[in-house]
Amino acid sequence: MILLKRLLMVFLILISAFMGINVRALENINLHSPNYIVYDMSDEKIVLQNNVDVVTPMASLTKIMTTIVAIENSPDLDKKVIYSKSMRSDIDFDASLSGLIENQEYTVRDLLYATMLPSGADATNALA
């Protein structure tokens, strides 16, 4: 469990490291998202933005928070969970999945990896 927490923290630190991009590097930036905002915390100003008023789903953040809550509240990462049809019922058709199989037994540890590595919405629902 401690190893998973450390891996998650390293993941979050790496994400944070990319947020500290030199502003000059943004001059010729090629983003793949139609919605973004880059804020310079030193100068307290917006450096770059596009479609900032568009409301978008926060799927990845939800997956990260679900992972943290699951790690903090699961004393036994080897506890078995049977993936059921109801766990998949509210997943959007275009969501990223890890490929869990209905009625298959998985450990909480398996579901944590399936949530974070392929960003599987199916594994996230099973954890929740």
Side-chain angles (χ1 to χ4, degrees):
M1 185 155 79
I2 292 171
L3 176 63
L4 282 174
K5 281 186 180 180
R6 287 185 181 161
L7 285 173
L8 184 58
M9 288 308 296
V10 168
F11 177 73
L12 293 174
I13 289 169
L14 287 174
I15 289 174
S16 299
F18 287 109
M19 299 307 259
I21 299 171
N22 185 327
V23 174
R24 290 187 189 118
L26 298 174
E27 292 171 3
N28 295 317
I29 194 164
N30 182 16
L31 297 175
H32 298 283
S33 174
N35 311 323
Y36 55 85
I37 185 166
V38 179
Y39 186 79
D40 183 342
M41 293 177 60
S42 300
D43 292 337
E44 297 185 354
K45 66 178 185 177
I46 295 172
V47 179
L48 196 61
Q49 65 180 343
N50 194 50
N51 294 329
V52 295
D53 295 324
V54 175
V55 178
T56 59
M58 0 180 261
S60 294
L61 182 58
T62 303
K63 289 173 187 166
I64 291 169
M65 290 306 300
T66 301
T67 300
I68 291 169
V69 170
I71 290 171
E72 291 176 346
N73 292 286
S74 298
D76 180 11
L77 296 182
D78 294 317
K79 177 182 174 187
K80 305 290 184 185
V81 175
I82 297 175
Y83 185 67
S84 67
K85 185 176 185 175
S86 66
M87 292 176 181
R88 190 174 179 150
S89 63
D90 67 341
I91 297 175
D92 291 339
F93 75 95
D94 59 345
S96 173
L97 301 173
S98 60
L100 298 183
I101 299 168
E102 193 176 315
N103 298 320
Q104 177 104 10
E105 189 175 80
Y106 298 94
T107 65
V108 171
R109 183 184 322 273
D110 293 334
L111 296 172
L112 289 168
Y113 282 112
T115 295
M116 294 308 294
L117 295 177
S119 193
D122 49 353
T124 306
N125 272 12
L127 277 175

